[in-house]
Short mmCIF file of all heavy atoms in Angstrom, two decimals:
data_model
loop_
_atom_site.label_atom_id
_atom_site.label_comp_id
_atom_site.label_asym_id
_atom_site.label_seq_id
_atom_site.Cartn_x
_atom_site.Cartn_y
_atom_site.Cartn_z
N THR A 1311 31.82 -2.12 -13.09
CA THR A 1311 32.11 -3.05 -14.18
C THR A 1311 31.27 -2.66 -15.42
O THR A 1311 31.80 -2.65 -16.53
CB THR A 1311 31.83 -4.50 -13.80
OG1 THR A 1311 32.71 -4.83 -12.70
CG2 THR A 1311 32.05 -5.46 -14.96
N ALA A 1312 29.96 -2.42 -15.22
CA ALA A 1312 29.14 -2.01 -16.34
C ALA A 1312 29.68 -0.72 -17.00
O ALA A 1312 29.76 -0.63 -18.21
CB ALA A 1312 27.72 -1.76 -15.83
N THR A 1313 30.12 0.21 -16.16
CA THR A 1313 30.65 1.47 -16.70
C THR A 1313 31.94 1.20 -17.46
O THR A 1313 32.14 1.78 -18.58
CB THR A 1313 30.92 2.43 -15.54
OG1 THR A 1313 29.69 2.67 -14.87
CG2 THR A 1313 31.47 3.78 -16.03
N ALA A 1314 32.82 0.36 -16.95
CA ALA A 1314 34.10 0.08 -17.59
C ALA A 1314 33.92 -0.67 -18.89
O ALA A 1314 34.53 -0.35 -19.93
CB ALA A 1314 34.98 -0.72 -16.67
N LEU A 1315 33.01 -1.67 -18.92
CA LEU A 1315 32.78 -2.41 -20.17
C LEU A 1315 32.10 -1.54 -21.21
O LEU A 1315 32.44 -1.63 -22.45
CB LEU A 1315 31.91 -3.62 -19.86
CG LEU A 1315 32.55 -4.74 -19.00
CD1 LEU A 1315 31.54 -5.84 -18.74
CD2 LEU A 1315 33.79 -5.31 -19.67
N ALA A 1316 31.19 -0.68 -20.79
CA ALA A 1316 30.55 0.26 -21.72
C ALA A 1316 31.58 1.23 -22.32
O ALA A 1316 31.49 1.56 -23.53
CB ALA A 1316 29.45 1.02 -21.04
N ALA A 1317 32.54 1.62 -21.51
CA ALA A 1317 33.56 2.55 -22.03
C ALA A 1317 34.47 1.88 -23.08
O ALA A 1317 35.06 2.57 -23.89
CB ALA A 1317 34.45 3.03 -20.86
N GLU A 1318 34.53 0.51 -23.05
CA GLU A 1318 35.25 -0.24 -24.04
C GLU A 1318 34.40 -0.57 -25.25
O GLU A 1318 34.88 -1.28 -26.14
CB GLU A 1318 35.87 -1.50 -23.42
CG GLU A 1318 36.97 -1.24 -22.44
CD GLU A 1318 38.16 -0.58 -23.12
OE1 GLU A 1318 38.58 -1.09 -24.21
OE2 GLU A 1318 38.69 0.40 -22.56
N GLY A 1319 33.18 -0.09 -25.27
CA GLY A 1319 32.37 -0.29 -26.46
C GLY A 1319 31.26 -1.35 -26.34
O GLY A 1319 30.44 -1.48 -27.28
N ALA A 1320 31.19 -2.07 -25.24
CA ALA A 1320 30.18 -3.10 -25.07
C ALA A 1320 28.84 -2.48 -24.74
O ALA A 1320 28.77 -1.43 -24.08
CB ALA A 1320 30.60 -4.07 -23.98
N ALA A 1321 27.79 -3.12 -25.23
CA ALA A 1321 26.43 -2.77 -24.81
C ALA A 1321 26.22 -3.56 -23.51
O ALA A 1321 26.43 -4.79 -23.47
CB ALA A 1321 25.41 -3.17 -25.86
N VAL A 1322 25.80 -2.88 -22.43
CA VAL A 1322 25.74 -3.56 -21.14
C VAL A 1322 24.30 -3.62 -20.65
O VAL A 1322 23.52 -2.67 -20.72
CB VAL A 1322 26.61 -2.88 -20.10
CG1 VAL A 1322 28.07 -2.98 -20.46
CG2 VAL A 1322 26.27 -1.38 -19.97
N PHE A 1323 23.91 -4.81 -20.21
CA PHE A 1323 22.59 -5.07 -19.63
C PHE A 1323 22.80 -5.30 -18.15
O PHE A 1323 23.44 -6.28 -17.76
CB PHE A 1323 21.92 -6.24 -20.30
CG PHE A 1323 20.44 -6.34 -19.95
CD1 PHE A 1323 19.49 -5.66 -20.66
CD2 PHE A 1323 20.02 -7.13 -18.88
CE1 PHE A 1323 18.13 -5.73 -20.34
CE2 PHE A 1323 18.68 -7.22 -18.53
CZ PHE A 1323 17.75 -6.53 -19.28
N LEU A 1324 22.25 -4.44 -17.31
CA LEU A 1324 22.46 -4.47 -15.87
C LEU A 1324 21.27 -5.08 -15.20
O LEU A 1324 20.13 -4.79 -15.52
CB LEU A 1324 22.68 -3.07 -15.31
CG LEU A 1324 23.91 -2.23 -15.70
CD1 LEU A 1324 23.87 -1.80 -17.16
CD2 LEU A 1324 24.00 -1.02 -14.83
N THR A 1325 21.52 -5.96 -14.21
CA THR A 1325 20.46 -6.47 -13.39
C THR A 1325 20.71 -6.07 -11.95
O THR A 1325 21.85 -5.82 -11.56
CB THR A 1325 20.29 -8.00 -13.52
OG1 THR A 1325 21.26 -8.65 -12.62
CG2 THR A 1325 20.52 -8.49 -14.91
N TYR A 1326 19.65 -5.99 -11.16
CA TYR A 1326 19.78 -5.58 -9.76
C TYR A 1326 18.54 -6.01 -8.99
O TYR A 1326 17.54 -6.40 -9.61
CB TYR A 1326 19.96 -4.06 -9.63
CG TYR A 1326 18.72 -3.33 -10.13
CD1 TYR A 1326 17.74 -2.93 -9.21
CD2 TYR A 1326 18.50 -3.03 -11.47
CE1 TYR A 1326 16.58 -2.26 -9.64
CE2 TYR A 1326 17.38 -2.38 -11.90
CZ TYR A 1326 16.41 -2.02 -10.99
OH TYR A 1326 15.25 -1.35 -11.42
N LYS A 1327 18.67 -5.99 -7.69
CA LYS A 1327 17.47 -6.23 -6.82
C LYS A 1327 17.56 -5.27 -5.67
O LYS A 1327 18.53 -5.22 -4.95
CB LYS A 1327 17.49 -7.70 -6.30
CG LYS A 1327 16.22 -8.01 -5.50
CD LYS A 1327 16.22 -9.47 -5.06
CE LYS A 1327 14.92 -9.91 -4.43
NZ LYS A 1327 14.60 -9.13 -3.23
N ARG A 1328 16.53 -4.50 -5.51
CA ARG A 1328 16.48 -3.55 -4.42
C ARG A 1328 16.29 -4.31 -3.09
O ARG A 1328 15.40 -5.16 -2.96
CB ARG A 1328 15.32 -2.55 -4.60
CG ARG A 1328 15.60 -1.57 -5.74
CD ARG A 1328 14.39 -0.71 -6.04
NE ARG A 1328 13.35 -1.52 -6.70
CZ ARG A 1328 12.16 -1.01 -7.04
NH1 ARG A 1328 11.86 0.23 -6.85
NH2 ARG A 1328 11.32 -1.83 -7.69
N LEU A 1329 17.12 -3.97 -2.13
CA LEU A 1329 17.11 -4.68 -0.86
C LEU A 1329 16.59 -3.78 0.30
O LEU A 1329 16.82 -2.61 0.30
CB LEU A 1329 18.51 -5.19 -0.52
CG LEU A 1329 19.14 -6.14 -1.55
CD1 LEU A 1329 20.57 -6.45 -1.13
CD2 LEU A 1329 18.30 -7.44 -1.60
N ALA A 1330 15.89 -4.41 1.24
CA ALA A 1330 15.39 -3.70 2.37
C ALA A 1330 16.54 -3.17 3.19
O ALA A 1330 17.61 -3.74 3.26
CB ALA A 1330 14.49 -4.62 3.19
N PRO A 1331 16.37 -2.03 3.86
CA PRO A 1331 17.45 -1.48 4.71
C PRO A 1331 17.82 -2.39 5.84
O PRO A 1331 16.95 -3.06 6.44
CB PRO A 1331 16.90 -0.14 5.21
CG PRO A 1331 15.40 -0.29 5.05
CD PRO A 1331 15.16 -1.19 3.89
N LEU A 1332 19.11 -2.39 6.21
CA LEU A 1332 19.55 -3.18 7.30
C LEU A 1332 19.29 -2.48 8.66
O LEU A 1332 19.08 -3.13 9.70
CB LEU A 1332 21.06 -3.41 7.20
CG LEU A 1332 21.49 -4.26 5.98
CD1 LEU A 1332 23.02 -4.20 5.83
CD2 LEU A 1332 21.05 -5.71 6.16
N ASN A 1333 19.25 -1.16 8.62
CA ASN A 1333 19.06 -0.33 9.81
C ASN A 1333 19.95 -0.78 10.95
O ASN A 1333 19.51 -1.00 12.09
CB ASN A 1333 17.59 -0.42 10.27
CG ASN A 1333 16.61 0.21 9.26
OD1 ASN A 1333 16.93 1.24 8.71
ND2 ASN A 1333 15.49 -0.39 9.06
N GLU A 1334 21.24 -0.90 10.61
CA GLU A 1334 22.22 -1.43 11.56
C GLU A 1334 23.36 -0.45 11.74
O GLU A 1334 23.98 -0.06 10.73
CB GLU A 1334 22.74 -2.78 11.03
CG GLU A 1334 23.95 -3.34 11.77
CD GLU A 1334 23.76 -3.45 13.25
OE1 GLU A 1334 22.75 -4.06 13.68
OE2 GLU A 1334 24.62 -2.91 14.01
N PRO A 1335 23.61 0.05 12.95
CA PRO A 1335 24.63 1.08 13.16
C PRO A 1335 26.05 0.62 12.71
O PRO A 1335 26.94 1.48 12.50
CB PRO A 1335 24.61 1.27 14.70
CG PRO A 1335 23.26 0.83 15.09
CD PRO A 1335 22.88 -0.26 14.21
N ALA A 1336 26.28 -0.70 12.61
CA ALA A 1336 27.63 -1.14 12.17
C ALA A 1336 27.94 -0.85 10.76
O ALA A 1336 29.06 -1.00 10.28
CB ALA A 1336 27.76 -2.66 12.44
N TYR A 1337 26.91 -0.44 9.94
CA TYR A 1337 27.11 -0.13 8.54
C TYR A 1337 26.84 1.37 8.35
O TYR A 1337 25.96 1.94 8.94
CB TYR A 1337 26.14 -0.91 7.66
CG TYR A 1337 26.34 -2.43 7.77
CD1 TYR A 1337 25.49 -3.17 8.55
CD2 TYR A 1337 27.36 -3.04 7.09
CE1 TYR A 1337 25.67 -4.55 8.68
CE2 TYR A 1337 27.54 -4.44 7.18
CZ TYR A 1337 26.69 -5.19 7.97
OH TYR A 1337 26.85 -6.53 8.06
N PRO A 1338 27.63 2.00 7.47
CA PRO A 1338 27.36 3.39 7.14
C PRO A 1338 25.95 3.59 6.59
O PRO A 1338 25.41 2.69 5.93
CB PRO A 1338 28.43 3.74 6.08
CG PRO A 1338 29.50 2.75 6.30
CD PRO A 1338 28.83 1.50 6.75
N ASP A 1339 25.36 4.75 6.82
CA ASP A 1339 24.01 5.05 6.37
C ASP A 1339 23.88 4.91 4.86
O ASP A 1339 22.84 4.48 4.34
CB ASP A 1339 23.58 6.44 6.77
CG ASP A 1339 23.41 6.59 8.30
OD1 ASP A 1339 23.23 5.54 8.97
OD2 ASP A 1339 23.46 7.70 8.78
N THR A 1340 24.96 5.28 4.15
CA THR A 1340 24.90 5.21 2.68
C THR A 1340 24.72 3.76 2.16
O THR A 1340 24.26 3.60 1.01
CB THR A 1340 26.17 5.82 2.05
OG1 THR A 1340 27.32 5.14 2.62
CG2 THR A 1340 26.24 7.30 2.38
N TYR A 1341 25.16 2.78 2.94
CA TYR A 1341 25.04 1.40 2.48
C TYR A 1341 23.61 1.03 2.25
O TYR A 1341 23.25 0.36 1.24
CB TYR A 1341 25.69 0.49 3.50
CG TYR A 1341 25.95 -0.93 2.97
CD1 TYR A 1341 26.49 -1.14 1.74
CD2 TYR A 1341 25.64 -2.03 3.82
CE1 TYR A 1341 26.70 -2.45 1.29
CE2 TYR A 1341 25.86 -3.33 3.36
CZ TYR A 1341 26.42 -3.53 2.10
OH TYR A 1341 26.64 -4.80 1.65
N ASP A 1342 22.71 1.37 3.16
CA ASP A 1342 21.27 1.07 2.93
C ASP A 1342 20.77 1.81 1.72
O ASP A 1342 19.97 1.23 0.93
CB ASP A 1342 20.48 1.51 4.18
CG ASP A 1342 20.49 0.49 5.26
OD1 ASP A 1342 20.87 -0.69 5.00
OD2 ASP A 1342 20.12 0.82 6.40
N ARG A 1343 21.26 3.00 1.47
CA ARG A 1343 20.74 3.78 0.35
C ARG A 1343 21.10 3.16 -0.99
O ARG A 1343 20.27 2.99 -1.85
CB ARG A 1343 21.22 5.22 0.44
CG ARG A 1343 20.81 6.05 -0.73
CD ARG A 1343 21.31 7.52 -0.57
NE ARG A 1343 22.70 7.60 -0.43
CZ ARG A 1343 23.58 7.53 -1.41
NH1 ARG A 1343 23.17 7.38 -2.66
NH2 ARG A 1343 24.89 7.63 -1.21
N VAL A 1344 22.37 2.77 -1.12
CA VAL A 1344 22.85 2.22 -2.41
C VAL A 1344 22.21 0.83 -2.66
O VAL A 1344 21.91 0.47 -3.80
CB VAL A 1344 24.37 2.18 -2.54
CG1 VAL A 1344 24.93 3.60 -2.51
CG2 VAL A 1344 25.00 1.30 -1.45
N ARG A 1345 22.06 0.03 -1.62
CA ARG A 1345 21.44 -1.29 -1.77
C ARG A 1345 20.01 -1.24 -2.15
O ARG A 1345 19.48 -2.16 -2.81
CB ARG A 1345 21.62 -2.07 -0.43
CG ARG A 1345 22.98 -2.63 -0.21
CD ARG A 1345 23.20 -3.01 1.23
NE ARG A 1345 22.12 -3.70 1.86
CZ ARG A 1345 22.00 -5.00 1.95
NH1 ARG A 1345 22.96 -5.81 1.44
NH2 ARG A 1345 20.99 -5.59 2.56
N ALA A 1346 19.31 -0.15 -1.74
CA ALA A 1346 17.91 -0.03 -1.99
C ALA A 1346 17.56 0.63 -3.31
O ALA A 1346 16.41 0.73 -3.71
CB ALA A 1346 17.24 0.76 -0.84
N GLY A 1347 18.60 1.11 -4.01
CA GLY A 1347 18.36 1.87 -5.21
C GLY A 1347 18.26 1.05 -6.48
O GLY A 1347 18.60 -0.14 -6.51
N THR A 1348 17.78 1.66 -7.54
CA THR A 1348 17.72 1.01 -8.85
C THR A 1348 19.06 1.23 -9.54
O THR A 1348 20.00 1.86 -9.01
CB THR A 1348 16.61 1.62 -9.72
OG1 THR A 1348 17.01 2.95 -10.07
CG2 THR A 1348 15.29 1.63 -8.95
N ALA A 1349 19.15 0.77 -10.82
CA ALA A 1349 20.37 0.98 -11.60
C ALA A 1349 20.17 2.18 -12.56
O ALA A 1349 21.02 2.36 -13.49
CB ALA A 1349 20.69 -0.26 -12.37
N ASP A 1350 19.11 2.92 -12.38
CA ASP A 1350 18.79 4.02 -13.30
C ASP A 1350 19.93 5.03 -13.42
O ASP A 1350 20.28 5.48 -14.53
CB ASP A 1350 17.51 4.75 -12.90
CG ASP A 1350 16.27 3.85 -13.05
OD1 ASP A 1350 16.42 2.76 -13.65
OD2 ASP A 1350 15.20 4.27 -12.54
N ASP A 1351 20.54 5.39 -12.28
CA ASP A 1351 21.63 6.39 -12.30
C ASP A 1351 22.82 5.82 -13.04
O ASP A 1351 23.49 6.58 -13.79
CB ASP A 1351 22.01 6.78 -10.88
CG ASP A 1351 20.96 7.65 -10.19
OD1 ASP A 1351 20.09 8.16 -10.91
OD2 ASP A 1351 21.05 7.80 -8.96
N VAL A 1352 23.12 4.56 -12.88
CA VAL A 1352 24.26 3.99 -13.59
C VAL A 1352 23.99 3.95 -15.07
O VAL A 1352 24.89 4.35 -15.86
CB VAL A 1352 24.48 2.51 -13.10
CG1 VAL A 1352 25.71 1.93 -13.75
CG2 VAL A 1352 24.60 2.46 -11.58
N VAL A 1353 22.82 3.58 -15.48
CA VAL A 1353 22.45 3.59 -16.91
C VAL A 1353 22.54 4.98 -17.49
O VAL A 1353 23.10 5.22 -18.60
CB VAL A 1353 21.01 3.01 -17.10
CG1 VAL A 1353 20.51 3.26 -18.52
CG2 VAL A 1353 21.03 1.53 -16.79
#
């Protein structure tokens, strides 16, 4: 959404909270990685 709104010309302020890993086999490994990350790459 931030990417799409920015593409339409809006200045976007992103908030996020880094979350501890679930370490649960029912979720793909990448899920823990993206939940634990900052928004720096998106910005």
